[in-house]
Amino acid sequence: MERIRKGKENMATIFALSYQMAKANFKVRNEGSYLGVIWYLLNPISYFVVLLFLGGSIYNNSIPYYPAYLLLGLIMFNFFLSVTGSSSLVISGNKNFIKSIKINPLTFIFANILTNIFSHAIEVILFIIVLLFLHINPIFVVFYPLIFLCLCLFTTGISLIFATIGVYVSDWQNVWKVLGSLLWFVTPVFYVIKKADSAIGHINYVNPFFHFLTIARNLIIYEKAPTLFSVCGIIAFGIVTFVVGLYIFNKKARSFAENI
Amino acid sequence: MNTQAHKNRIEVQDVSKVFRVKTKGTDVALSHLAHFFQDSKKKSYIRVLNNISFTVAPGEILGIIGKNGSGKSTLLQIMADVYSPNSGSIVRNGEVFYLTSMGIGIIEKLSMKDNIFLVGAIMGMSQKKIKDIYNQIVDFSELGDFVDMKVCHFSKGMIGRLGFSISVFCLQNRMTEILLLDEVFGSGADFEFEKKAIKKMEELIQGGATVVMVSHSLPTIEKYCDRVIWLDKGNIKAIGAAQDVISKYVA
């Protein structure tokens, strides 16, 4: 009982501190003004515009409501890439803290994710505007937090693993840059998989991102209920990845200080 | 009944610490891959602490002196649970706080007010508690006119004042039982403030907490410490009353 209470207290401190750190990061990045928010939107918007143009003029796609389809895929993938991309440097970047004060290193991982959640929220608002523009009823966005929760667990799990690797492999970021862009092309972010039994269809069957995107798009844009199988799939992907990540991270966390 | 009070605050027993020394380039992905196939990892190690044992009684102020690289900071970091020892054990009876610089975590692009809340949180204070001592911190630092200014516009001395004020008031408020001070004494600000800072520091370390301090300033060690440990190349060369050990050390 005492252990559970202590654990709860620890988690509360970790979350409180990571929230403060994320807030500070966010303030620094925006230089204290709301205009800075525009910079967050610039990246997804520029991709969005280019791909929209390509999608419309090159392969003449027949995806209904393509702008919404594309933007939702982009912002979800963008969140994942930007969290995981920075996570391998989170521990070494906070070297000064880890070596000089007793802070649970989970704090830095959560702070990184929270910072990205703030900016993701702004992208979601942009997405809702696009939905309204396309005369799609945005009511189903209310389900998005549930899908996002699974995505968040999955992303946290991966970033815990990457943060641990990053302590021992200093250039892991470069490795992930290559792997991450492969994943980006394999996942139907800006295209659609027409044949499920093609090579890419088979690959995507085990690609968690394919399922995250499919469920979110079907539900929010096309108002189609997801299958029970795929819902269980993303919940399982999320929880398993998170638990594995947390296990690896906690196992190695004791020796972070002397390896960075 | 009284066993609790007589218990040592810290018991360090046979602690040894070995660090792996990294050579250039051993940490990159390709070298990991190459080593995986070659299995010829050449690791070199350095022994930093060698079977260190001592105890610190409640309320005692213990100083640690020694040359650069003698293992003083590593010993404090092990006591603070930042590093784990390779062998030996540490018992801590009470909450430990390790302080290696005043105002750790100050972000220069944030305002002074934001920094007080951030650094306070890093030092383990809740936002509510920081609110309670906020005015005390600002008053002590004498920087009341600059609370909304970004810290990057501050002078070095002003940052020193800010860092000192936040750290000391947070420590005082946390009522930490064991304080580990690594080369921190004073604020690095002007003479007038420094006088005030040292007085505050005295209040803090003589307020009943158990203190272990590492310092190169022998007068500071002599003035405040009950006992002193002289570390040399990871071994205890002498331990005893402050004056005796210091006179051996300077001889």
Side-chain angles (χ1 to χ4, degrees), chain A residues 5 10 16 25 55 70 128 163 199 201 210 218 226 243 245:
Chain A
R5 199 188 57 81
N10 273 342
N25 281 345
L70 174 65
I128 295 174
F210 173 73
N218 278 343
V243 170

Side-chain angles (χ1 to χ4, degrees), chain B residues 133-149:
Chain B
I133 57 168
Y134 177 81
N135 285 332
Q136 282 175 288
I137 294 174
V138 175
D139 289 345
F140 189 85
S141 68
E142 297 166 27
L143 296 169
D145 296 339
F146 307 101
V147 280
D148 291 319
M149 199 195 257

Side-chain angles (χ1 to χ4, degrees), chain B residues 21 30 58 65 67 79 82 102 113 126 131 149 173 193 200 202-203 234 238:
Chain B
V21 184
L30 284 178
I65 54 174
K67 284 185 194 159
M79 286 157 80
V82 170
M102 291 291 185
K113 187 177 175 182
S126 71
K131 251 183 214 156
M149 199 195 257
N173 212 268
F193 189 82
K200 190 83 197 160
E202 283 174 358
E203 219 177 275

Side-chain angles (χ1 to χ4, degrees), chain A residues 9-259:
Chain A
E9 224 176 78
N10 273 342
M11 273 331 260
T13 344
I14 291 173
F15 271 115
L17 181 54
S18 40
Y19 176 71
Q20 291 305 323
M21 285 183 161
K23 216 167 84 179
N25 281 345
F26 199 72
K27 268 192 184 164
V28 169
R29 287 214 317 224
N30 295 325
E31 287 285 334
S33 97
Y34 289 102
L35 286 173
V37 166
I38 293 172
W39 295 114
Y40 286 115
L41 294 175
L42 209 59
N43 179 37
I45 288 180
S46 59
Y47 266 76
F48 177 63
V49 170
V50 170
L51 287 169
L52 196 63
F53 172 73
L54 286 178
S57 64
I58 295 181
Y59 53 87
N60 212 356
N61 71 68
S62 54
I63 306 168
Y65 303 119
Y66 183 65
Y69 176 95
L70 174 65
L71 186 60
L72 185 58
L74 270 178
I75 62 173
M76 286 175 79
F77 208 91
N78 194 17
F79 170 77
F80 173 74
L81 270 193
S82 102
V83 173
T84 50
S86 47
S87 63
S88 54
L89 295 177
V90 161
I91 298 298
S92 49
N94 286 299
K95 195 169 159 174
N96 285 341
F97 288 116
I98 291 171
K99 278 185 187 263
S100 62
I101 201 162
K102 187 96 190 95
I103 294 186
N104 190 322
L106 271 178
T107 313
F108 305 109
I109 305 285
F110 290 155
N112 180 34
I113 290 165
L114 279 177
T115 314
N116 281 288
I117 290 180
F118 288 158
S119 47
H120 186 68
I122 299 163
E123 293 173 348
V124 171
I125 294 171
L126 179 75
F127 172 68
I128 295 174
I129 295 171
V130 169
L131 283 182
L132 291 173
F133 199 73
L134 294 171
H135 301 293
I136 302 172
N137 186 352
I139 183 72
F140 286 101
V141 175
V142 295
F143 290 112
Y144 185 67
L146 292 176
I147 303 168
F148 185 66
L149 182 70
C150 296
L151 176 65
C152 245
L153 281 176
F154 176 73
T155 310
T156 312
I158 300 282
S159 56
L160 286 168
I161 297 171
F162 283 7
T164 313
I165 296 177
V167 172
Y168 302 94
V169 185
S170 56
D171 56 352
W172 178 252
Q173 217 195 8
N174 298 337
V175 178
W176 178 236
K177 246 183 214 157
V178 178
L179 297 179
S181 43
L182 285 179
L183 185 66
W184 151 258
F185 281 110
V186 164
T187 312
V189 175
F190 58 90
Y191 58 89
V192 72
I193 295 172
K194 292 221 166 99
K195 281 184 202 145
D197 61 349
S198 58
I200 196 125
H202 287 302
I203 295 173
N204 270 301
Y205 197 69
V206 289
N207 175 5
F209 249 92
F210 173 73
H211 299 283
F212 282 123
L213 293 188
T214 311
I215 291 181
R217 282 164 170 165
N218 278 343
L219 196 62
I220 298 167
I221 305 170
Y222 305 116
E223 300 180 9
K224 271 195 278 184
T227 60
L228 187 66
F229 173 75
S230 58
V231 171
C232 294
I234 64 161
I235 293 175
F237 267 131
I239 292 177
V240 170
T241 319
F242 179 72
V243 170
V244 171
L246 198 62
Y247 175 77
I248 294 176
F249 188 83
N250 278 340
K251 208 166 171 185
K252 287 286 176 190
R254 283 293 309 150
S255 56
F256 283 167
E258 52 193 272
N259 282 299

Side-chain angles (χ1 to χ4, degrees), chain B:
Chain B
M1 278 279 277
N2 263 333
T3 48
Q4 196 70 23
H6 290 300
K7 235 185 194 174
N8 284 318
R9 275 283 183 227
I10 304 178
E11 289 174 14
V12 177
Q13 202 159 38
D14 284 330
V15 163
S16 296
K17 182 71 196 166
V18 174
F19 280 122
R20 206 187 124 191
V21 184
K22 282 178 188 164
T23 44
K24 215 174 154 190
T26 45
D27 251 9
V28 296
L30 284 178
S31 112
H32 275 277
L33 198 67
H35 283 310
F36 182 75
F37 289 113
Q38 283 176 359
D39 198 32
S40 66
K41 268 190 189 170
K42 269 190 215 145
K43 287 182 182 172
S44 48
Y45 293 94
I46 179 166
R47 204 171 180 81
V48 188
L49 291 174
N50 220 343
N51 293 324
I52 304 286
S53 300
F54 62 91
T55 57
V56 192
E60 189 179 7
I61 302 175
L62 176 77
I64 303 179
I65 54 174
K67 284 185 194 159
N68 293 128
S70 56
K72 304 183 297 292
S73 291
T74 308
L75 183 56
L76 276 198
Q77 278 162 315
I78 289 177
M79 286 157 80
D81 202 25
V82 170
Y83 296 150
S84 337
N86 291 82
S87 62
S89 67
I90 310 246
V91 180
R92 307 169 188 86
N93 292 312
E95 201 197 3
V96 180
F97 199 94
Y98 171 56
L99 196 65
T100 171
S101 70
M102 291 291 185
I104 180 167
I106 287 185
I107 296 180
E108 300 208 340
K109 276 189 171 181
L110 291 178
S111 70
M112 172 173 156
K113 187 177 175 182
D114 287 339
N115 267 305
I116 293 178
F117 280 93
L118 179 67
V119 176
I122 291 169
M123 293 191 64
M125 304 275 290
S126 71
Q127 296 296 293
K128 201 188 148 286
K129 270 194 188 160
I130 303 170
K131 251 183 214 156
D132 293 344
I133 57 168
Y134 177 81
N135 285 332
Q136 282 175 288
I137 294 174
V138 175
D139 289 345
F140 189 85
S141 68
E142 297 166 27
L143 296 169
D145 296 339
F146 307 101
V147 280
D148 291 319
M149 199 195 257
K150 281 187 187 170
V151 173
C152 55
H153 302 302
F154 279 25
S155 71
K156 234 181 176 175
M158 284 161 86
I159 295 178
R161 282 174 179 230
L162 176 63
F164 181 88
S165 310
I166 305 175
S167 307
V168 166
F169 278 94
C170 287
L171 279 181
Q172 213 171 28
N173 212 268
R174 280 175 58 109
M175 313 262 274
T176 312
E177 285 119 340
I178 305 167
L179 211 53
L180 309 173
L181 304 176
D182 194 347
E183 293 285 358
V184 275
F185 209 89
S187 60
D190 55 46
F191 176 71
E192 210 177 307
F193 189 82
E194 187 67 9
K195 236 169 50 187
K196 197 166 106 170
I198 288 184
K199 217 176 131 213
K200 190 83 197 160
M201 208 64 203
E202 283 174 358
E203 219 177 275
L204 187 74
I205 63 172
Q206 291 170 343
T210 306
V211 181
V212 181
M213 54 196 272
V214 163
S215 180
H216 285 292
S217 157
L218 297 177
T220 308
I221 293 273
E222 193 167 357
K223 188 168 172 196
Y224 299 108
C225 296
D226 306 316
R227 270 193 314 151
V228 171
I229 291 178
W230 171 12
L231 273 186
D232 186 53
K233 292 176 190 152
N235 296 296
I236 293 184
K237 192 139 186 186
I239 180 166
Q243 272 182 332
D244 301 346
V245 178
I246 289 173
S247 55
K248 274 186 210 157
Y249 179 65
V250 290

